[in-house]
Amino acid sequence: MFFFIILALLRLPFSGAIHHMQRRAPAWVNPRDAVRFLRVSNRCSDDISPAIQTQAGFGPAVHGFRLPAGESRLLNVSADWQGRVWGRTNCSFPGVKGTPFRSLGLRGKEEKRDGRACWTGDCGGLLDCKGSGQPPATLAEFTLESESRQTFYDISLVDGYNVAMGIIALLDYPNNTSASQSILPNQTNPVCIGSPHFLARNDDFHMDSDFANATSPTADPKSKQSKSQPHLLPLERSQSLKTVRRWCPWDLQLQPPEKPGYGIYPYPDDHIERPLFNPCYSACAKDNKPEHCCAGKYNSPKKCRPNFYSEKAKKICPDAYSYAYDDETSTFAIPSGSGFEVVFCPMGRSSDILDHLRK
Ligand SMILES: *[C@@H]1O[C@H](CO)[C@@H](O)[C@H](O)[C@H]1NC(C)=O
Ligand SMILES: *[C@@H]1O[C@H](CO)[C@@H](O)[C@H](O)[C@H]1NC(C)=O
Ligand SMILES: *[C@@H]1O[C@H](CO)[C@@H](O)[C@H](O)[C@H]1NC(C)=O
Ligand SMILES: *[C@@H]1O[C@H](CO)[C@@H](O)[C@H](O)[C@H]1NC(C)=O
Ligand SMILES: *[C@@H]1O[C@H](CO)[C@@H](O)[C@H](O)[C@H]1NC(C)=O
Ligand SMILES: *[C@@H]1O[C@H](CO)[C@@H](O)[C@H](O)[C@H]1NC(C)=O
């Protein structure tokens, strides 16, 4: 009967779960006087509408905008900024050119727009977001400054997955701070690829080179100064196109296929086609159960264990947060001072940096 349950779309804001990002970063000496770069880049073949939520410090003046395929936008945040960035897909904003409404082909309740402008990541139908968005969405999360003068960041699948994402620490900027001096770029740039379209096959390997080797936003890409040595990124090697296409548990898909027979989903489901673009709710985002959201009596690392969604998510994206108490295997920490780039739809394979560093 488990597979029978087709849940209605739950309209929860991000993370009913107690997530580490909800802890406020203690501020230190006047970090607001300094700025850090936040660059947002769209390597998808479609438009993405990035959304930015500020939780502490000063964020960019704009909290959401349309970013055409292949384009990049450079923003500033305060050096003590805490916040998150995600991509909204399939958006149609009234009055914004080039954002026509298209049906996603969802059935029933899921297809109701209900004031939404975007099918995933939507924030109240607004182009310039105010606050959080609707799952499923892959999140990039940042706490730029802490008491220990470290920056913490991660890719989070705690609220589900919608598009492939990578984070690049812009170590060379600003101004050659402590962050740039001892860290290799192959330890700082996580990648999460949960969509087959962006997965490079192991035997035909291609990876966007800036993930193995970060550059500053101001650097002239043609100039061959400094660090010319490539730093190989530790990658997840076990997944294939087939497993990446099917990782999302059956009833957590944004677009589950039609019930193939008599209303009972077969198991295993190996032979059923899944849509190419098929975002995945997290168990928490879909059912809001305390044991999946690490809420109520499950609100501690000991009591909240990985669930059927987070185990799959972790296999596909070993460097990403998969449930609310996944800290040790998912948080990146570097000396503060660096800016960051959030890349939608990087090409290559998911990174496996943290596991590699622990060994
Ligand atoms: C970032 O801030 C600097 C000043 O701190 C300003 O000169 C620059 O124009 C800002 N860039 C953006 C993209 O807002
Ligand atoms: C929805 O957005 C995704 C990601 O950009 C894209 O692959 C897909 O084709 C879009 N679907 C429709 C119906 O526009
Ligand atoms: C970098 O240094 C220049 C001059 O040394 C200064 O004007 C600028 O504000 C600094 N930028 C940041 C982001 O700290
Ligand atoms: C940048 O950092 C390196 C390593 O600490 C140092 O040798 C160099 O002088 C610094 N450059 C500037 C412009 O501060
Ligand atoms: C990045 O690596 C490539 C080789 O893969 C090299 O040609 C390039 O100069 C490197 N860039 C930086 C900034 O290290
Ligand atoms: C990063 O690259 C260096 C070579 O530049 C390599 O020695 C090191 O093993 C790599 N680190 C990881 C974590 O793979």
Side-chain angles (χ1 to χ4, degrees), residues 175-176 180-181:
N175 292 359
N176 202 20
S180 66
Q181 288 163 31

Side-chain angles (χ1 to χ4, degrees), residues 194-197 199 239-248 253 272-276 278 316:
S195 319
H197 186 67
L199 186 77
Q239 300 300 324
S240 65
L241 284 180
K242 190 177 167 190
T243 56
V244 168
R245 196 176 288 133
R246 300 182 186 288
W247 71 271
C248 182
Q253 297 173 80
I272 292 161
E273 268 314 306
R274 296 190 179 211
L276 276 178
N278 194 10
I316 294 291

Side-chain angles (χ1 to χ4, degrees), residues 83-310:
R84 38 171 68 143
V85 180
W86 68 96
R88 293 169 289 171
T89 69
N90 313 96
C91 299
S92 171
F93 297 104
V96 177
K97 266 192 193 165
T99 64
F101 169 73
R102 286 192 197 96
S103 165
L104 255 200
L106 302 171
R107 282 171 298 282
K109 254 190 161 167
E110 310 246 347
E111 184 72 32
K112 285 221 182 86
R113 277 182 90 79
D114 289 341
R116 272 189 288 195
C118 306
W119 284 119
T120 65
D122 184 67
C123 40
L126 301 170
L127 178 60
D128 193 355
C129 292
K130 292 193 176 85
S132 66
Q134 300 290 341
T138 318
L139 306 176
E141 306 184 296
F142 301 93
T143 297
L144 292 189
E145 193 55 78
S146 67
E147 243 161 21
S148 57
R149 297 215 168 172
Q150 282 182 304
T151 291
F152 298 100
Y153 60 102
D154 62 70
I155 295 175
S156 169
L157 305 182
V158 171
D159 296 290
Y161 171 94
N162 64 344
V163 287
M165 179 187 273
I167 298 178
I168 297 176
L170 302 169
L171 297 173
D172 294 347
Y173 205 89
N175 292 359
N176 202 20
T177 56
S178 56
S180 66
Q181 288 163 31
S182 57
I183 309 166
L184 295 175
N186 63 358
Q187 298 170 351
T188 58
N189 303 341
V191 182
C192 167
I193 295 178
S195 319
H197 186 67
F198 304 103
L199 186 77
R201 293 207 318 261
N202 272 325
D203 56 352
D204 174 23
F205 189 71
H206 170 75
M207 180 103 193
D208 286 351
S209 64
D210 50 3
F211 275 95
N213 173 354
T215 54
S216 81
T218 50
D220 174 0
K222 280 174 214 142
S223 83
K224 286 197 175 159
Q225 19 107 315
S226 67
K227 305 175 211 160
S228 54
Q229 197 188 344
H231 301 287
L232 294 178
L233 189 69
L235 297 173
E236 194 296 312
R237 295 263 177 208
S238 66
Q239 300 300 324
S240 65
L241 284 180
K242 190 177 167 190
T243 56
V244 168
R245 196 176 288 133
R246 300 182 186 288
W247 71 271
C248 182
W250 191 264
D251 51 356
L252 297 182
Q253 297 173 80
L254 181 68
Q255 294 168 270
E258 292 284 358
K259 287 177 284 178
Y262 311 111
I264 296 168
Y265 286 150
Y267 185 82
D269 58 8
D270 281 358
H271 301 295
I272 292 161
E273 268 314 306
R274 296 190 179 211
L276 276 178
F277 176 71
N278 194 10
C280 190
Y281 288 97
S282 64
C284 168
K286 186 85 190 189
D287 63 25
N288 205 27
K289 287 189 180 152
E291 61 266 43
H292 295 153
C293 298
C294 303
K297 65 174 178 169
Y298 297 95
N299 186 7
S300 81
K302 271 194 180 151
K303 294 199 177 119
C304 196
R305 308 307 304 162
N307 57 59
F308 67 104
Y309 162 83
S310 67

Side-chain angles (χ1 to χ4, degrees), residues 42 52 64 78 83 237 271 322 359:
N42 179 9
I52 299 167
S78 66
R237 295 263 177 208
H271 301 295
S322 62
K359 279 178 188 156

